[in-house]
Amino acid sequence: MNLTVHTVREHAPSILVAGLSTAFGVSLISITGVLTQVIRDSGVDSATLTFILSFIAVVFVVIALYVGALVTANTFATIIAGRVRTIALLRLIGSSAARQRLAVAREGLTVGVVGALMGGIAGVLFSLLVVYAGVRSGALPAGNYSYLTATMLLPVLAVALTTTAASWAGSRRVLSVSPMDALGAAGESSFSEQTARRVRNRVALAVFVIGDLILVAGVLVGLVDPLGVLIGLVGGIFSFTGVVLGASVIMPRALRLIGRAFGTSATARLARENAVRYPERSARTTIGLVIGVTLITTFAVTVASYQSLIEAAQESMPGVYAGVDPLLAITVTVFSVLMGFSALIAAVGMVNNFSLNVLQRTRELGLLRALGFTARQIRRMILIESAQLSAAAVVVGLVLGTFYGWAGAQSLIGGIQGSPGIVVPTVPLVLLAVIVVAAVALTAVASLVPSRRATRITPVVALATE
């Protein structure tokens, strides 16, 4: 499972994503155990709150694994897109597609194992730091807490397996690379070719609709049983998987519509049309930011709605929930910190995919330079593309995240004693405003380094790049 220096650099973000996913799961299990012990020692309705915390931990760990797998699959798909000509050359001299795909899977296994081990260590250290800070600040009582349990091995093993599986899924394009692609320009599928894939598009729509129906069922079950959150979790995974499967058809249309707001200059028109000309590339890049915005919004709305439902139940039945305020504050604070892990997972994937896409377009950018575009115009075009990506991803992510977050909180504690039942989503507007600004800034920054590197190459050298 040895990787070359070039491959290590190529997969460094994937290793980081695997590490963050593992650290998230390990630290969540550890901190949830500490909170459970605090609740039991407090004398509050420990059975209910412990049950809620355990479910939140399970849900968040599954979400972290799912998001990590999506980001990894997306990253490997981007890497394979840049290796098409190399793979075709290997096919030309006798290598099979299955052998090439197996080689990619071995890379995924190495990435998963290395990232999982690093993340496991980081997760334990992070939980120690959080508890130590909580005790020193007075937010947590001092006690003999257990930080190492056998269940912490589950995220480590799960990340190693899901990363390998994600690399296998992301490398499916290897099967469509023929030896003849080595003799010509193996390009991305066009928008018409993407829309012509009716079976795939219908499957994506069906998965999305089925997922939404399952989410609604989870909310209804949650009115009588907190097990509704597990139904909602399955629905959310199905729903967002449908979005990912249909991204190459949906996102280009959204990007072209939003792109009209950036004017009619040559660079703006070219940036707008690139979204439709290369739908797979647009989808791979955009979906990373959609994952990030959806995830952060989901957690933010879940925590805010969770807090609102508990407070409403407390007002209705103060005797049952007496003394719950400090524990509620601790829970919200801890899970808000843990939410940052998932945000980092998606951010790393988005930045990496955008950088890889720009660097893989060296030949395309060199052709534009040869046709008369200046380096400044190229950088402006890439910046406009990144702005389009941000706007489209933020809009889609906010809508999806608000719905998923509300459904998650509602299905988890919608039926607790004193609950008002179905409530409207609680959206923290300040946090969402920060999300919008951060997404725009992150995408802009992600475009600077690769665009400068690409435009420093002379047109002649760029056109000679394979």
Side-chain angles (χ1 to χ4, degrees):
M1 294 195 303
N2 294 325
L3 299 180
T4 64
V5 174
H6 173 73
T7 307
V8 169
R9 290 177 180 174
E10 196 174 38
H11 288 305
S14 298
I15 294 174
L16 181 57
V17 166
L20 288 171
S21 299
T22 308
F24 183 92
V26 169
S27 59
L28 188 56
I29 291 173
S30 178
I31 293 174
T32 300
V34 172
L35 288 176
T36 300
Q37 185 174 335
V38 172
I39 292 172
R40 286 172 179 169
D41 295 341
S42 67
V44 181
D45 185 4
S46 59
T48 301
L49 290 179
T50 300
F51 183 74
I52 291 173
L53 277 177
S54 299
F55 265 105
I56 291 177
V58 171
V59 170
F60 276 23
V61 168
V62 171
I63 290 174
L65 293 175
Y66 173 68
V67 170
L70 276 183
V71 172
T72 301
N74 199 36
T75 301
F76 270 88
T78 304
I79 292 172
I80 296 303
R83 291 186 188 175
V84 167
R85 192 172 179 84
T86 301
I87 293 171
L89 285 169
L90 292 172
R91 295 289 313 283
L92 190 62
I93 61 177
S95 180
S96 66
R99 182 180 300 173
Q100 290 300 308
R101 196 178 190 192
L102 184 60
V104 175
R106 284 197 295 266
E107 291 179 22
L109 177 60
T110 304
V111 167
V113 170
V114 173
L117 292 176
M118 294 173 59
I121 296 172
V124 173
L125 294 177
F126 178 77
S127 60
L128 285 169
L129 181 61
V130 169
V131 175
Y132 174 78
V135 172
R136 289 295 299 270
S137 65
L140 284 174
N144 294 321
Y145 300 116
S146 176
Y147 301 99
L148 296 175
T149 62
T151 54
M152 291 181 183
L153 292 175
L154 294 178
V156 176
L157 296 175
V159 167
L161 293 175
T162 55
T163 301
T164 305
S167 67
W168 181 262
S171 63
R172 64 185 178 277
R173 188 181 178 185
V174 172
L175 300 177
S176 65
V177 177
S178 69
M180 293 303 295
D181 288 329
L183 305 177
E188 302 269 7
S189 301
S190 66
F191 184 70
S192 59
E193 290 173 331
Q194 289 293 319
T195 54
R197 297 177 179 176
R198 295 183 178 178
V199 174
R200 177 187 174 92
N201 296 334
R202 287 173 180 171
V203 168
L205 179 60
V207 171
F208 176 73
V209 172
I210 291 172
D212 289 340
L213 292 176
I214 296 175
L215 268 172
V216 172
V219 170
L220 296 177
V221 172
L223 293 176
V224 295
D225 193 326
L227 286 175
V229 72
L230 296 181
I231 299 175
L233 177 61
V234 173
I237 290 176
F238 266 83
S239 177
F240 196 76
T241 300
V243 173
V244 173
L245 291 175
S248 59
V249 175
I250 300 170
M251 297 312 300
R253 288 192 172 101
L255 288 167
R256 172 184 272 179
L257 182 63
I258 292 174
R260 294 175 182 173
F262 293 91
T264 57
S265 65
T267 52
R269 291 201 307 272
L270 188 59
R272 183 169 63 245
E273 292 303 319
N274 277 342
V276 177
R277 187 177 296 112
Y278 304 107
E280 287 182 302
R281 187 173 70 193
S282 299
R284 284 195 304 266
T285 308
T286 310
I287 205 64
L289 190 54
V290 171
I291 291 171
V293 176
T294 301
L295 194 64
I296 298 172
T297 305
T298 297
F299 284 171
V301 173
T302 298
V303 171
S305 300
Y306 169 87
Q307 190 171 8
S308 297
L309 282 167
I310 292 291
E311 290 174 349
Q314 186 181 26
E315 291 179 4
S316 176
M317 305 181 70
V320 176
Y321 296 96
V324 77
D325 289 338
L327 297 175
L328 179 59
I330 293 172
T331 304
V332 172
T333 300
V334 169
F335 283 113
S336 295
V337 173
L338 289 171
M339 181 176 66
F341 271 102
S342 296
L344 280 175
I345 292 171
V348 169
M350 186 276 295
V351 172
N352 183 52
N353 282 342
F354 193 84
S355 299
L356 284 173
N357 279 325
V358 173
L359 293 177
Q360 290 171 2
R361 294 165 60 188
T362 300
R363 185 180 178 86
E364 173 192 331
L365 299 177
L367 178 60
L368 292 176
R369 293 288 305 280
L371 292 174
F373 272 65
T374 64
R376 182 178 180 181
Q377 286 178 311
I378 295 295
R379 286 195 293 268
R380 185 169 181 269
M381 181 192 73
I382 294 174
L383 184 60
I384 291 175
E385 285 185 20
S386 68
Q388 291 176 197
L389 292 174
S390 296
V394 165
V395 171
V396 174
L398 288 178
V399 172
L400 292 174
T402 299
F403 175 56
Y404 294 157
W406 167 79
Q410 190 72 58
S411 60
L412 177 64
I413 57 174
I416 62 173
Q417 295 184 53
S419 171
I422 299 291
V423 298
V424 296
T426 303
V427 182
L429 298 179
V430 175
L431 179 59
L432 297 187
V434 172
I435 291 173
V436 173
V437 174
V440 173
L442 186 63
T443 310
V445 170
S447 69
L448 291 178
V449 175
S451 63
R452 285 182 178 178
R453 189 183 306 169
T455 53
R456 283 175 182 170
I457 303 177
T458 63
V460 174
V461 175
L463 289 172
T465 302
E466 299 295 346

